[in-house]
Amino acid sequence: MSGLVPAPFMLLAGMVSLQFGSAFAKQLFERTGPAGATLLRLLIAAALLCLFFRPTPRLLRSHWRLLLPYGAVLAVMQLSFYEATSRLSLGVVVTLEYTGPLLIALVGSRKALDVLWVLLAGTGLVILGGSHAGADPVGVLAALLTGVALTGYILLGSAVSRATSGGAGLATGMAVASVVALPGSFVLGLPPVGALLDPGVLAVAFAVAVLSTAVPFSLEFVALRRMPPRVFAVLSTLEPAIAVLVGLVVLGEALSVPQWAAVLCVVVAAVAANWGSRAGTPDPTSDPKSSAGASRPRRRPIDAS
């Protein structure tokens, strides 16, 4: 069924779900803090994904060189993202976060015009970062760290999605992330266990885990299998506009005129870069050499069942 849905549409649906989940997660911060919200989100999402995809321990043993760093990157990305959104508006954090995909776009670019679009987006990121650097430098640094982790997530996620079958790799990576996040959450400050196990908190955390982790990561995981990392990175740079709109509607987070202009720079650059690269970008699903060794029996992905 997923083959009938275009990969860009799946990516867009995942981005919308993720930002609504992130907006709801901010409602948990007063009771659990960003570290507690992150830990609950990862634990619930890992449980749901493992129940659905049923990965086997053999998967981790066979692909630990990919899955361990993949899970570590997921943990860092979630911890730093919630720390940043607890300090800055959702739209600003997501825009700063996309320094990672922009870096991938710049490294993979072979056209001078693509560099121009990356520079335009970079200008928007500098404006946003500069407008908050003095007020909350920790929030800005946390958002930029999320961008670094996002770069690793895109690159490692592309490799994991091609080396494993179904969503078993994602489920295993999320389980690793929940384990890695546990000590990090203690360092950043966890509330009492009673606060984390409160029924109201768990209900919101469950919704957040579904909206911001299980659904979007599953859709992105499939999309990564069907498009090159650079195309994924450029398309995903549209997410700041979605985050700004969701933050405005759900949280009432309004941006100033310069901040709106900065977000517009990023979005225009993303659309223009994607428009220019679509015709010349090979489709990995049409090239048998790019199917992660599917034609070689000794390198077959491990079946989750």
Coordinates of all heavy atoms in Angstrom, one line a residue, residues 56 58-60 62-63 66-67 158-169 221 225 290-305:
T56 N 13.6 -8.6 15.9 CA 14.3 -9.7 16.7 C 15.6 -9.2 17.2 O 16.2 -8.3 16.6 CB 14.5 -10.9 15.8 OG1 15.3 -10.6 14.7 CG2 13.1 -11.4 15.2
R58 N 18.3 -10.6 16.8 CA 19.3 -10.9 15.7 C 19.5 -9.7 14.8 O 20.6 -9.5 14.3 CB 18.8 -12.1 14.9 CG 19.8 -12.6 13.9 CD 19.4 -14.0 13.4 NE 18.1 -14.0 12.8 CZ 18.0 -14.0 11.4 NH1 19.1 -14.0 10.7 NH2 16.8 -14.1 10.9
L59 N 18.5 -8.8 14.7 CA 18.6 -7.6 13.9 C 19.7 -6.7 14.5 O 20.6 -6.2 13.7 CB 17.3 -6.9 13.8 CG 17.2 -5.6 12.9 CD1 17.4 -6.0 11.5 CD2 15.9 -4.9 13.1
L60 N 19.7 -6.5 15.8 CA 20.6 -5.6 16.4 C 22.0 -6.2 16.3 O 23.0 -5.5 16.1 CB 20.2 -5.3 17.9 CG 21.1 -4.4 18.6 CD1 21.2 -3.0 18.0 CD2 20.6 -4.2 20.1
S62 N 23.2 -8.1 14.1 CA 23.7 -8.1 12.7 C 24.0 -6.7 12.2 O 24.9 -6.6 11.4 CB 22.8 -8.8 11.8 OG 22.5 -10.2 12.1
H63 N 23.3 -5.7 12.7 CA 23.5 -4.4 12.2 C 23.8 -3.4 13.3 O 23.4 -2.2 13.2 CB 22.2 -4.0 11.4 CG 21.9 -4.8 10.2 ND1 22.5 -4.6 9.0 CD2 21.0 -5.7 10.0 CE1 22.0 -5.4 8.1 NE2 21.1 -6.2 8.7
L66 N 25.2 0.1 12.5 CA 24.3 1.2 12.1 C 23.3 1.5 13.1 O 23.0 2.7 13.4 CB 23.5 0.7 10.8 CG 24.2 0.7 9.5 CD1 23.4 0.1 8.4 CD2 24.6 2.2 9.1
L67 N 22.7 0.5 13.8 CA 21.6 0.8 14.7 C 22.0 1.5 16.0 O 21.2 2.3 16.5 CB 20.9 -0.6 15.0 CG 20.1 -1.2 13.8 CD1 19.7 -2.6 14.2 CD2 19.0 -0.3 13.4
S158 N 18.8 6.7 6.3 CA 18.8 6.2 4.9 C 19.5 4.9 4.8 O 19.0 4.0 4.1 CB 19.4 7.3 4.0 OG 19.5 6.8 2.7
A159 N 20.6 4.7 5.5 CA 21.3 3.5 5.5 C 20.6 2.4 6.2 O 20.5 1.2 5.7 CB 22.7 3.7 6.1
V160 N 20.0 2.7 7.3 CA 19.2 1.7 8.1 C 18.0 1.2 7.3 O 17.7 0.0 7.3 CB 18.8 2.2 9.5 CG1 17.8 1.3 10.2 CG2 20.0 2.4 10.4
S161 N 17.3 2.1 6.7 CA 16.1 1.8 6.0 C 16.4 0.8 4.8 O 15.5 0.0 4.4 CB 15.4 3.0 5.5 OG 16.1 3.7 4.5
R162 N 17.6 0.9 4.2 CA 17.9 0.1 3.1 C 18.5 -1.2 3.6 O 18.6 -2.2 2.8 CB 18.9 0.8 2.2 CG 18.2 1.9 1.4 CD 19.2 2.8 0.6 NE 18.6 3.7 -0.3 CZ 18.0 4.8 0.0 NH1 18.0 5.2 1.3 NH2 17.5 5.6 -0.9
A163 N 19.0 -1.3 4.8 CA 19.7 -2.5 5.3 C 18.8 -3.4 6.0 O 19.1 -4.6 6.3 CB 20.9 -2.1 6.2
T164 N 17.6 -2.9 6.4 CA 16.6 -3.7 7.2 C 15.3 -3.8 6.4 O 15.0 -2.9 5.6 CB 16.4 -3.2 8.6 OG1 15.9 -1.8 8.5 CG2 17.7 -3.1 9.3
S165 N 14.5 -4.7 6.8 CA 13.2 -4.9 6.2 C 12.1 -4.3 7.0 O 12.1 -4.3 8.2 CB 12.9 -6.4 5.9 OG 12.8 -7.0 7.1
G166 N 11.0 -3.7 6.3 CA 9.9 -3.2 7.0 C 10.3 -2.0 8.0 O 11.2 -1.2 7.6
G167 N 9.7 -2.0 9.1 CA 10.1 -0.9 10.1 C 10.9 -1.5 11.3 O 11.0 -0.8 12.3
A168 N 11.4 -2.7 11.1 CA 12.2 -3.3 12.2 C 13.4 -2.5 12.6 O 13.7 -2.4 13.8 CB 12.6 -4.7 11.8
G169 N 14.1 -1.9 11.6 CA 15.2 -1.0 11.9 C 14.8 0.2 12.7 O 15.5 0.6 13.7
F221 N 10.7 7.0 7.5 CA 11.6 5.8 7.3 C 11.3 5.2 5.9 O 12.2 4.8 5.2 CB 11.2 4.8 8.4 CG 12.3 3.7 8.5 CD1 13.5 4.0 9.2 CD2 12.0 2.4 8.1 CE1 14.5 3.0 9.3 CE2 13.0 1.4 8.2 CZ 14.2 1.7 8.8
R225 N 13.7 5.3 2.2 CA 14.1 4.2 1.4 C 13.8 4.5 -0.1 O 14.4 3.9 -1.0 CB 13.2 3.0 1.8 CG 13.6 1.7 1.0 CD 12.7 0.5 1.5 NE 13.0 0.1 2.8 CZ 12.2 0.1 3.8 NH1 11.0 0.6 3.7 NH2 12.6 -0.3 5.0
S290 N 21.3 0.3 -6.3 CA 21.1 1.1 -5.0 C 20.2 0.5 -4.0 O 19.7 1.1 -3.1 CB 20.6 2.5 -5.4 OG 19.3 2.4 -6.0
S291 N 19.9 -0.8 -4.2 CA 18.9 -1.5 -3.3 C 19.5 -2.1 -2.1 O 19.0 -3.1 -1.6 CB 18.1 -2.5 -4.1 OG 19.0 -3.5 -4.7
A292 N 20.6 -1.6 -1.7 CA 21.3 -2.1 -0.5 C 21.6 -3.5 -0.5 O 21.5 -4.3 0.4 CB 20.5 -1.8 0.8
G293 N 22.1 -4.0 -1.8 CA 22.6 -5.3 -1.9 C 21.5 -6.3 -2.0 O 21.7 -7.5 -1.6
A294 N 20.2 -5.9 -2.4 CA 19.1 -6.9 -2.4 C 19.3 -8.0 -3.4 O 18.7 -9.1 -3.2 CB 17.8 -6.1 -2.8
S295 N 20.2 -7.8 -4.4 CA 20.4 -8.9 -5.4 C 21.5 -9.8 -4.9 O 21.7 -10.8 -5.6 CB 20.8 -8.2 -6.7 OG 22.0 -7.5 -6.6
R296 N 22.1 -9.6 -3.8 CA 23.1 -10.5 -3.3 C 22.6 -11.2 -2.1 O 22.4 -10.6 -1.0 CB 24.4 -9.7 -2.9 CG 25.1 -9.1 -4.1 CD 26.2 -8.2 -3.7 NE 25.6 -7.0 -3.1 CZ 26.4 -6.0 -2.7 NH1 27.7 -6.1 -2.7 NH2 25.9 -4.9 -2.1
P297 N 22.3 -12.6 -2.2 CA 21.7 -13.3 -1.1 C 22.4 -13.2 0.3 O 21.8 -13.1 1.3 CB 21.6 -14.7 -1.6 CG 21.7 -14.6 -3.1 CD 22.5 -13.4 -3.3
R298 N 23.7 -13.1 0.2 CA 24.4 -13.1 1.5 C 24.3 -11.7 2.2 O 24.8 -11.6 3.3 CB 25.9 -13.4 1.3 CG 26.6 -12.4 0.4 CD 28.0 -13.0 0.0 NE 28.7 -12.1 -0.9 CZ 29.5 -11.1 -0.5 NH1 29.7 -10.9 0.8 NH2 30.2 -10.3 -1.3
R299 N 23.7 -10.7 1.5 CA 23.6 -9.4 2.2 C 22.1 -9.1 2.3 O 21.7 -7.9 2.5 CB 24.2 -8.4 1.3 CG 25.7 -8.5 1.1 CD 26.5 -8.1 2.4 NE 26.4 -6.7 2.6 CZ 26.8 -6.0 3.6 NH1 27.5 -6.7 4.6 NH2 26.7 -4.7 3.7
R300 N 21.2 -10.1 2.3 CA 19.8 -9.8 2.4 C 19.4 -9.2 3.8 O 20.0 -9.5 4.8 CB 19.0 -11.1 2.3 CG 18.9 -11.6 0.9 CD 18.2 -12.9 0.9 NE 16.9 -12.8 1.4 CZ 16.1 -13.9 1.7 NH1 16.6 -15.1 1.6 NH2 14.9 -13.7 2.2
P301 N 18.5 -8.2 3.8 CA 18.1 -7.6 5.1 C 17.4 -8.7 5.9 O 16.8 -9.7 5.5 CB 17.0 -6.6 4.7 CG 17.3 -6.3 3.2 CD 17.8 -7.6 2.7
I302 N 17.5 -8.6 7.2 CA 16.9 -9.5 8.2 C 15.5 -9.3 8.3 O 15.0 -8.1 8.5 CB 17.6 -9.4 9.5 CG1 19.1 -9.9 9.4 CG2 16.9 -10.2 10.6 CD1 19.8 -9.7 10.7
D303 N 14.7 -10.3 8.2 CA 13.2 -10.2 8.3 C 12.8 -9.9 9.8 O 13.3 -10.6 10.7 CB 12.6 -11.5 7.8 CG 11.1 -11.3 7.6 OD1 10.5 -10.3 8.1 OD2 10.5 -12.2 7.0
A304 N 11.9 -9.0 10.0 CA 11.5 -8.6 11.3 C 10.7 -9.8 12.0 O 10.6 -9.8 13.2 CB 10.7 -7.4 11.3
S305 N 10.1 -10.6 11.2 CA 9.3 -11.6 11.7 C 10.1 -12.9 12.1 O 9.6 -13.8 12.8 CB 8.2 -12.1 10.7 OG 8.9 -12.6 9.6

